[in-house]
Amino acid sequence: MTNIRETMLNLKMPRAPLFWIALLLLLPLALELTYSDFVREGEYNSRIGWSFILAALAYLLQKRRFIALILLPFAISGSLDIGYAVSFGGVFTTATLEAVAYTDSSEVSEFVAAYSSMTLTSWLLLHWSIYFLGLRFMRPAEGTGSRTRRVTMVLGFILIAVVAYRTTVMGRFHDTIPGVLGTVPSYLRGSVSLQEEFERRQTMLRETDIKAVLKETQPQTHIFIVGESASRNHMGIYGYHRNTTPFLSSIKDELVVFDNVISSHAQTQASLRAALTAASADQGDQYRDALSVIDIANLAGYETWWISNQQPLRATIASIAHQADHPYYISNDFNGVEVNRYDTFMLNRITEALTNPAPHKAIFIHMMGSHAQYKNRYPDDFSVFKDSQVSAYTEQPDQGVIDVINEYDNSILFADFFLQQLFSLVKEKQNDALATITYFSDHGEEVYQQANLKGHSPDNLTPNMFEIPFVFWSSDQQRITSYRTHKSSPFMLDSFYHYASQVMAIDSANVNPEAGLISDQYQPPAVRMVYKTGYDTQLRNSR
């Protein structure tokens, strides 16, 4: 042992703090990239940035025991990040911590026993070896006037100011602080925000004098499916050149396919807080004090469900969802891992809801749909579109663009399969009760179709980010015939509350028949504005 120690001391080991600290922070990132299918860009940036911050602090503090203290949280966090990446093939998210919060001590013991392995142990040993070797060999007091030291300290303290701004002013911890260290405060902050939203909505419901009654009292089940990032311009049933919706297309005669519906926003939170409440898109924060579609269903006597494949801690949506009699997030069954958590995994919970004996049921289902990364939303069997026959903004797209479009189309294809399974369940379980299904998406997606970009954001708006599918089915043929008269009427998703209330035959002063797409009194919006841009006058014609 003495000879080994002497040998190590004689080696010319690097002494710059930046080397050892970067090694400590970047090893977990390397393993996340190795074992996980998706790592956020913010994770890269935060780990590189914190390497400079911690190196600057090491130069400032110099004493080993202080350096050990400031590096210890990152070493512990790195161990958790490594363990999660190797064991579950994922990166810590707030949904992960939500799953942990529902785990008891015996389950933790079982997890440790089940996922312990030589591979994981070896990586953890390497990680902690870097920590202790770094403390042993780094010499922050040396090279006081060196250029490396000056640059590191200047960058480090600039980045400290950036971190302070992002965490205190913007409230952004996730992707500002690396790994689980950033996820924990985001989770706690989200929990507090969710609790505040929940309590505010509970208070509003206790104090409301709004009444709601059912106009049709026969047994009935209404299902509202919220898709994710689905553009109708990539759906065969809407005329897309690929048959991405074989099921929906095969039953088109049974459906009302609304073809002039747009979302009010290009982001989930902003879109759904307007869609799911009586507040419209131009009313700012008034959604906080507006009844939601679940609230009005509860007041009318429906048994309500919210079944979701999305993250639980999206305060506004979650506070609405938690008013349902049966809120359920399947992420809690998958330790928060989003990769390979397919929408079909919700079918068991949906079956439970459909077989519930309640005579009046309203079931809301929130899909992962086509959430990026698209290839993580479907199993390998649905990797059908692989050729280069894509619809792109350029006649000669590169292979990267082709691959992304193919992955997106495959995600639409799998969503169609999920809908097929759900329709089969409904038809099997309805037992002569009235049944309806409404499928729509929270917003659309630009996938290199009109512009050289993929995704959705308030910047660089394209029509594809707003043009969403909106499809209706009913066991009552009269409804289908009646609703088809409005199939091409202009509609914006912020009036979904009124549409859904009318589908459920709810009579209330809080429901505006002129805003409900299917009403005989429906009045289309005079102007459909998205981010202060006229959709019909500007955006729609920008192709």
Side-chain angles (χ1 to χ4, degrees), residues 348-369:
N348 286 340
R349 292 288 171 175
I350 295 169
T351 301
E352 291 176 8
L354 290 171
T355 54
N356 186 284
H360 306 123
K361 291 178 283 195
I363 304 169
F364 297 84
I365 299 165
H366 196 185
M367 300 169 61
M368 276 296 278

Side-chain angles (χ1 to χ4, degrees), residues 67 128 130 144 155 190 277 335 348 397 440 491:
I67 297 172
W128 283 98
I130 292 170
T144 303
L155 283 176
T277 67
N335 310 300
N348 286 340
F440 66 98
F491 184 70

Side-chain angles (χ1 to χ4, degrees), residues 50-193:
W50 274 90
S51 297
F52 283 94
I53 291 173
L54 294 172
L57 292 175
Y59 280 126
L60 185 67
L61 297 172
Q62 296 192 0
K63 292 190 177 181
R64 190 173 299 170
R65 63 178 179 273
F66 294 140
I67 297 172
L69 284 174
I70 63 169
L71 293 184
L72 185 59
F74 292 88
I76 295 171
S77 169
S79 297
L80 295 172
D81 294 325
I82 289 170
Y84 194 70
V86 174
S87 300
F88 297 103
V91 179
F92 264 100
T93 65
T94 52
T96 309
L97 293 181
E98 177 79 1
V100 171
Y102 286 99
T103 303
D104 59 33
S105 57
S106 63
E107 289 175 315
V108 170
S109 300
E110 289 177 2
F111 272 134
V112 172
Y115 292 101
S116 295
S117 66
M118 281 302 299
T119 300
L120 176 56
T121 301
S122 298
W123 286 122
L124 290 175
L125 283 173
L126 176 60
H127 178 67
W128 283 98
S129 295
I130 292 170
Y131 174 75
F132 288 111
L133 287 172
L135 292 175
R136 174 67 183 83
F137 288 105
M138 73 172 71
R139 295 288 186 273
E142 292 182 2
T144 303
S146 72
R147 183 181 177 186
T148 300
R149 178 189 176 110
R150 290 197 303 271
V151 170
T152 300
M153 291 194 72
V154 169
L155 283 176
F157 285 109
I158 290 173
L159 289 169
I160 287 173
V162 172
V163 168
Y165 177 80
R166 283 175 62 87
T167 54
T168 58
V169 178
M170 298 176 65
R172 295 284 298 274
F173 295 91
H174 210 35
D175 292 339
T176 299
I177 305 171
V180 70
L181 275 184
T183 306
V184 169
S186 292
Y187 170 77
L188 295 175
R189 187 171 183 269
S191 297
V192 171
S193 179

